[in-house]
Amino acid sequence: MYFILFITVILTAVVLVVAAYAIAKLIGPRSYNPVKGEPFECGIPTRGSSWLPTHIGYYLFAILFLMFDVETMFLYPWAVVVKQFGTMAIFSIGFFMLVLVFGLAYAWRKGALEWK
């Protein structure tokens, strides 16, 4: 049952990607200019290597964003069933939020939110 569903999803994805590519090739503008194939950044030709090390602050912000994004994902199902579970649901989500607040306070105290 699930194998058939999996194959159907994969085939649908492949067909849609191929169809979108074919339609874009058929109705898209056909302006061939050698300048369009050159790499540039904001209209200015690049100098040197574009492979530069990235500041660690970007990674910290990304990890914190993912942490709170996942938190939001877990809050929605809880909000849907909170009336069914009563006070136990309130205490469990309160503990969950407390752990997240402590995580944010720890990151704040360690300076992970400061951009240097």
Side-chain angles (χ1 to χ4, degrees):
M1 171 71 179
Y2 288 113
F3 181 72
I4 295 171
L5 180 65
F6 177 73
I7 295 299
T8 305
V9 169
I10 295 297
L11 287 176
T12 304
V14 169
V15 167
L16 287 176
V17 168
V18 169
Y21 185 73
I23 290 170
K25 278 294 197 184
L26 288 174
I27 65 173
R30 290 176 178 81
S31 173
Y32 301 106
N33 189 344
V35 176
K36 287 186 177 184
E38 294 181 9
F40 66 94
E41 184 176 339
C42 301
I44 301 170
T46 58
R47 289 181 293 187
S49 174
S50 61
W51 291 97
L52 300 174
T54 306
H55 190 267
I56 191 69
Y58 292 117
Y59 297 114
L60 292 174
F61 268 75
I63 289 171
L64 288 171
F65 171 77
L66 286 176
M67 182 177 77
F68 289 107
D69 193 42
V70 169
E71 169 222 348
T72 305
M73 182 184 70
F74 283 124
L75 283 177
Y76 180 75
W78 169 81
V80 171
V81 298
V82 70
K83 285 186 179 181
Q84 295 174 359
F85 292 113
T87 57
M88 188 60 191
I90 299 291
F91 287 124
S92 65
I93 201 64
F95 179 73
F96 181 68
M97 294 295 287
L98 187 67
V99 169
L100 286 171
V101 167
F102 280 143
L104 178 62
Y106 178 77
W108 199 339
R109 185 169 183 187
K110 289 292 184 179
L113 301 177
E114 294 179 10
W115 201 261
K116 296 178 184 176

